Amino acid sequence: MEISYKDFKVGKCEGQKVVDGETMPLVLQPPEPNKSDTESLISALKQNKDWFEQMLIKNSAVLLRGFDVKNAEDFNDIIEAFGWDDIRYIGPAPRTQVYKRIWTANEGPLSEFIYYHHEMVLIKESPKKVVLFCEIPPPEGGQTPFVPSFRVTERMLEEFPEAVEEVEAKGLKYTFTALSKDDTSSMRGRGWEDAFGTSDKAEAERRAKALGMDMEWLPNGGVKTILGPRSLTKVFDGRKGRRMWFNTVVGMHGKESSSAMLADGTEIPENFVKRCGQIIEEESIQFKWEKGDVLFLDNMALLHGRRPSLPPRKVLVATCK
């Protein structure tokens, strides 16, 4: 029997999972074949804004599938239907503005895996919502896997109870090195001039400080940013008191251009980082794109990434408060 929610029909998708009683992602489709146009969709979203946001917080991921969403303009209209405030992306990924609030997702090589992360996890104000639109699905690979963050915390507490609480008590410190100009041959190739919106070093330092970063200038014109102390986990309102694994330890630890350590400068045990990476992968939900998909992620509750793919692949993004 088909289930209807408000002005939508509930569907299924490949890779969908039930986690702690919640369907991830919740799939919403047109209620009837003649209601797949974007005008009908935007009307339905405007009429059900509060309900939709409740569903997003409840299920952590909501997928709009089967609607006739064609391009960045249509996607922007969907974003603006909710009235959510925009939040400027700050981070290492090279991105380009496409239309109004819509940007390219990470422009780094499609052959590389983008590791699981909460968007802008190290910045003082992270977006509450990350919304992705698939204009061109890849012929192979290119999934956007996501992970219920609370499950990582639960399992790490089961296996490393003392170490988790020690890291939480001491806090974390991260470093990241960036060139001055963008390098699109790297998935972390965004230069500091683009990231901070200025080529003036003093202004960049001021903007970095406002975001909770310190900076060290390098002889090659690049910069080393230092962020900390940061917490290992966080609890956010309205999410059942769940303790989210709100950090980027695995993604930045021991990398060529980044590091993650305890705030006092001591190393995080290697087995702690390695096992955490395994748990994240084990808990992941492998979401496969179809043309016209719009995927809403609760950035407070989910880590997300990108699988390597063959070209072409065109996924656009909007980040919202």
Side-chain angles (χ1 to χ4, degrees), residues 190-206:
R190 193 181 192 198
W192 64 262
E193 293 183 19
D194 183 20
F196 294 109
T198 180
S199 58
D200 181 86
K201 289 185 176 181
E203 179 61 19
E205 285 182 21
R206 188 189 69 76

Side-chain angles (χ1 to χ4, degrees), residues 30 36-39 41-42 45 64-79 102 132-137 290-296 316:
S36 64
D37 60 287
T38 52
E39 195 173 317
L41 170 60
I42 289 163
L45 293 174
L64 298 177
R65 173 166 283 177
F67 294 95
D68 192 21
V69 187
K70 294 189 181 72
N71 50 39
E73 289 82 356
D74 289 346
F75 182 32
N76 189 75
D77 288 344
I78 290 168
I79 297 300
I102 309 307
L132 299 155
F133 160 62
C134 182
E135 189 169 336
I136 303 172
E290 291 185 9
K291 184 177 176 62
D293 280 350
V294 181
L295 179 66
F296 295 74
L316 305 179

Side-chain angles (χ1 to χ4, degrees), residues 173-280:
K173 181 169 75 173
Y174 302 89
T175 68
F176 184 80
T177 303
L179 299 172
S180 60
K181 304 294 184 184
D182 289 356
D183 174 14
T184 54
S185 69
S186 168
M187 64 181 183
R188 288 182 166 181
R190 193 181 192 198
W192 64 262
E193 293 183 19
D194 183 20
F196 294 109
T198 180
S199 58
D200 181 86
K201 289 185 176 181
E203 179 61 19
E205 285 182 21
R206 188 189 69 76
R207 294 180 185 182
K209 185 67 77 175
L211 295 165
M213 304 180 195
D214 291 318
M215 301 175 88
E216 290 179 6
W217 296 103
L218 303 175
N220 66 354
V223 69
K224 181 180 181 181
T225 55
I226 303 145
L227 304 97
R230 295 288 191 272
S231 59
L232 182 73
T233 66
K234 282 190 179 181
V235 177
F236 297 100
D237 290 343
R239 291 160 181 85
K240 299 185 177 180
R242 288 168 169 167
R243 196 170 166 187
M244 305 300 183
W245 194 253
F246 208 72
N247 64 75
T248 184
V249 166
V250 179
M252 291 182 70
H253 181 267
K255 302 296 189 293
E256 185 179 347
S257 61
S258 68
S259 69
M261 63 196 80
L262 297 178
D264 62 8
T266 55
E267 287 295 320
I268 304 167
E270 189 68 39
N271 66 324
F272 181 94
V273 179
K274 183 179 178 181
R275 182 60 186 136
C276 181
Q278 292 169 344
I279 288 170
I280 288 172

